[in-house]
Amino acid sequence: MIDIKNSFTDIKSLIENLKMKEQVVGIVEYGGRTFADMEVGGDYDLTVILNKPISKNFTGVHFHVAGIPIDCMILSVEDFLTDNPRDPFFLVHLNCNILFDRNDITKKILEKINSKWKLPEELSDFEKHLFRFTFQHILDKLEH
């Protein structure tokens, strides 16, 4: 288990602490914010990649560092060794930035998924209905 106390002054200090953990083989960021961006607004998205899984039922955690909300996936190398992502949200790793890579493990697994995993070419019926419902719900709230 990784023992971390959330007393970090910024995201960089969190990342530096994670790099020292033996079981961490990679750290990547994705989304619209970089670890150096500490401005107010939005959240910060990163994935910590472990050498072995800690649980099949746990894929991440949400917390704050210096007032910035952090969405942190905690995955293992094993999560990237499939022909298709176990969870559609894992597709964010097709476009991510490596912050830490122990022994080129992260680079290799990202190369693998970029050749195997593919973004869907169109939305599924479920996604279309969900977006319609969500947008209609927002429009109804604004109107009433």
Side-chain angles (χ1 to χ4, degrees):
M1 185 61 76
I2 297 178
D3 182 27
I4 299 173
K5 294 186 174 43
N6 190 354
S7 58
F8 303 106
T9 57
D10 55 26
I11 296 171
K12 184 177 181 176
S13 62
L14 166 69
I15 292 167
E16 291 303 316
N17 184 280
L18 288 167
K19 288 178 181 181
M20 295 185 292
K21 306 298 180 185
E22 186 177 313
Q23 60 271 58
V24 174
V25 298
I27 303 170
V28 298
E29 66 184 3
Y30 57 92
R33 184 177 217 159
T34 67
F35 77 90
D37 179 4
M38 293 299 286
E39 298 296 319
V40 175
D43 65 355
Y44 179 68
D45 303 306
L46 81 155
T47 298
V48 176
I49 304 169
L50 305 175
N51 58 358
K52 58 185 174 184
I54 56 173
S55 170
K56 291 285 186 195
N57 300 318
F58 180 79
T59 57
V61 64
H62 181 82
F63 56 94
H64 291 80
V65 171
I68 304 292
I70 310 289
D71 288 327
C72 179
M73 278 197 252
I74 301 173
L75 303 175
S76 71
V77 172
E78 183 179 296
D79 290 311
F80 295 94
L81 299 180
T82 59
D83 287 341
N84 296 297
R86 182 168 48 102
D87 182 313
F89 194 65
F90 292 1
L91 290 169
V92 298
H93 298 102
L94 293 174
N95 186 24
C96 64
N97 181 35
I98 298 174
L99 301 177
F100 172 69
D101 189 2
R102 191 179 313 277
N103 302 322
D104 281 338
I105 294 170
T106 304
K107 179 183 173 195
K108 289 175 185 169
I109 61 175
L110 292 178
E111 286 172 352
K112 180 194 177 303
I113 68 167
N114 274 294
S115 70
K116 295 264 186 186
W117 296 3
K118 301 294 177 209
L119 291 171
E121 291 186 23
E122 63 180 57
L123 295 174
S124 69
D125 285 340
F126 171 77
E127 291 166 322
K128 290 175 187 174
H129 293 302
L130 178 63
F131 289 138
R132 283 186 188 124
F133 170 79
T134 303
F135 293 137
Q136 188 60 51
H137 183 74
I138 292 168
L139 291 172
D140 288 345
K141 282 190 169 265
L142 290 172
E143 187 176 329
H144 303 287

